[in-house]
Amino acid sequence: MNRFEKELEVFAKSKHQGHDEMMKSFEKWGSDLEEIISKIENVNSSFFKQISGKMGEAERWFAKKEKQFDGFFRHFP
């Protein structure tokens, strides 16, 4: 094998190694992102379970306030 072939082989190996490192980093980023998304989904689920029983209460309060504001704004054309 001549010097050019050896240099070409070294170059190809370094490119392959760089690609492998980039792919490992990308895969780690993907798994970290999935973990974070899972945590967010769990927090959201917990939050919605906590407030689900109180949604009717909140809807009634907003409906009452809407009626009050409607009556209030009728006085100001």
Side-chain angles (χ1 to χ4, degrees), residues 63 65-77:
K65 293 300 172 189
E66 186 178 1
K67 286 180 184 177
Q68 289 175 346
F69 276 110
D70 186 45
F72 176 73
F73 286 121
R74 285 185 192 181
H75 298 289
F76 299 100

Side-chain angles (χ1 to χ4, degrees), residues 1 3 5-6 15 19 21 23 25 29 32 34 36 39 42 44 51 62 74:
M1 192 182 309
R3 182 171 178 223
E5 289 173 330
K6 286 182 182 180
K15 284 288 192 179
H19 178 264
E21 288 175 12
M23 290 306 296
S25 295
W29 171 80
D32 290 348
E34 287 293 324
I36 290 168
K39 287 179 183 178
N42 289 339
N44 283 346
I51 66 165
F62 280 111
R74 285 185 192 181

Side-chain angles (χ1 to χ4, degrees), residues 14-72:
S14 70
K15 284 288 192 179
H16 185 71
Q17 183 181 6
H19 178 264
D20 288 348
E21 288 175 12
M22 185 197 69
M23 290 306 296
K24 285 178 186 176
S25 295
F26 186 73
E27 288 171 0
K28 181 175 179 347
W29 171 80
S31 66
D32 290 348
L33 183 62
E34 287 293 324
E35 184 179 333
I36 290 168
I37 289 171
S38 176
K39 287 179 183 178
I40 291 171
E41 288 173 344
N42 289 339
V43 169
N44 283 346
S45 176
S46 175
F47 172 72
F48 287 126
K49 284 179 184 175
Q50 288 176 355
I51 66 165
S52 67
K54 299 176 185 176
M55 288 305 292
E57 214 175 286
E59 288 173 359
R60 284 190 297 277
W61 184 85
F62 280 111
K64 180 181 174 184
K65 293 300 172 189
E66 186 178 1
K67 286 180 184 177
Q68 289 175 346
F69 276 110
D70 186 45
F72 176 73

